[in-house]
Amino acid sequence: MSKQINFNCVGCGACCKGRYVPLTLEEAEAWLRRGHRVSILLEAFAIDEDQGDLARYRHNASRGTHVRSGSIDICVIAIFAADAISGCPNLGEGNACQIYDQRPLVCRIYPMEVNPFVAFRTDQKDCPPEAWDTSQTNEVIRPDGQLIPSIKQLVEASRHADQTEALTKVLICEELDLRVTAWKGCGYVIHTPGVDDLMAAISRVSAQQRSPEKQWLVRVHGQGLTDKLRDMQAQLYPANSDDRHLYIPLEATSPN
């Protein structure tokens, strides 16, 4: 059976709203120069390859950086993202992209997935049914189920940037004293520094070559996970603190 998928964008603008859009560092700087804010989503997990899904662990570890939290090392993933929750600031009249030729990698890749562990499914996309009109010739997945070369190249570029920029993004967080992270699978901590502050931090860190050197705090919810991380001697974010970040909780999971 053919696994071919054709995608024909109908310009509905649904993919430009209600989400954070991951950016490479170069894209983040361009976004900031346009005067738009960039948020930083943080999540962390235990450094332990003795797990059931080693491939998934190694994928996540390749996107993260080791930092100190309490008495242990953890791996932190920092995602720099454009805030398009209420709508992309570059969305113009008739849902036309105003920076189409300079749009981020993930926008060029959409509706395909960057994460190799997320299966592509048309029914989980915001696009209307007519976007998948099989009479159109705009092929994105070949009959053998493989991405067409042009999109595959973009996906590989996005994954490469995630890996090569992981340390720099964490150092930028330390430069801005943004050292509160969520636990992977439990939630996200979202920091949104000022445009000028973030641009200055990127400039300062780009000239550095060092390892992370500050203590990080982990924010979680759920007594079971809290107790496990405390037993691991991680430094937990104090309850009832004056938050300078947004915390989006998910269902609490085990610390690995």
Side-chain angles (χ1 to χ4, degrees):
M1 177 183 294
S2 175
K3 298 179 180 178
Q4 180 174 336
I5 297 290
N6 292 355
F7 175 69
N8 185 48
C9 178
V10 297
C12 68
C15 62
C16 306
K17 304 168 186 174
R19 69 192 69 231
Y20 287 98
V21 180
L23 304 169
T24 67
L25 272 177
E26 182 178 358
E27 291 168 351
E29 289 186 272
W31 204 268
L32 293 166
R33 285 195 295 270
R34 296 186 188 102
H36 307 317
R37 286 181 178 269
V38 171
S39 293
I40 303 173
L41 287 65
L42 293 171
E43 57 179 356
F45 56 93
I47 300 171
D48 179 12
E49 290 196 18
D50 187 19
Q51 301 183 45
D53 194 340
L54 184 57
R56 188 185 298 267
Y57 171 82
R58 289 179 173 171
H59 168 72
N60 289 326
S62 72
R63 303 168 56 228
T65 297
H66 292 192
V67 304
R68 197 71 175 167
S69 177
S71 300
I72 65 169
D73 288 332
I74 60 175
C75 190
V76 169
I77 297 174
I79 303 169
F80 282 40
D83 184 346
I85 296 298
S86 60
C88 176
N90 298 296
L91 199 61
E93 185 177 351
N95 294 321
C97 178
Q98 302 298 297
I99 58 164
Y100 189 79
D101 291 338
Q102 294 85 39
R103 67 195 188 283
L105 268 174
V106 293
C107 299
R108 298 170 186 268
I109 292 167
Y110 188 86
M112 300 297 104
E113 302 289 351
V114 174
N115 188 329
F117 298 98
V118 176
F120 170 75
R121 290 179 51 181
T122 59
D123 62 348
Q124 292 185 346
K125 298 299 177 180
D126 295 328
C127 310
E130 54 267 32
W132 314 110
D133 186 350
T134 56
S135 67
Q136 301 294 327
T137 58
N138 192 14
E139 180 185 69
V140 289
I141 296 181
R142 302 184 314 195
D144 61 0
Q146 297 298 310
L147 290 174
I148 62 171
S150 59
I151 295 180
K152 183 178 180 180
Q153 184 177 26
L154 294 174
V155 170
E156 290 173 348
S158 179
R159 292 175 183 170
H160 179 71
D162 280 348
Q163 296 169 6
T164 59
E165 297 174 356
L167 172 60
T168 302
K169 289 177 178 177
V170 167
L171 292 178
I172 290 168
C173 291
E174 287 197 349
E175 187 76 15
L176 292 167
D177 201 30
L178 307 179
R179 296 178 290 110
V180 180
T181 177
W183 199 248
K184 189 168 182 61
C186 183
Y188 286 97
V189 162
I190 303 177
H191 301 274
T192 307
V195 170
D196 292 340
D197 291 339
L198 182 51
M199 288 189 69
I202 292 173
S203 178
R204 291 193 298 269
V205 169
S206 63
Q208 300 177 10
Q209 289 186 342
R210 64 175 178 85
S211 299
E213 55 191 24
K214 297 184 179 181
Q215 275 283 332
W216 283 67
L217 289 76
V218 180
R219 180 166 182 175
V220 295
H221 62 282
Q223 194 59 49
L225 181 54
T226 299
D227 290 343
K228 287 180 179 180
L229 287 172
R230 186 175 288 117
D231 289 343
M232 292 167 62
Q233 298 185 317
Q235 186 171 350
L236 298 181
Y237 182 72
N240 303 318
S241 296
D242 184 16
D243 298 345
R244 294 191 298 132
H245 58 263
L246 174 65
Y247 178 60
I248 300 180
L250 304 173
E251 183 178 353
T253 62
S254 67
N256 288 326

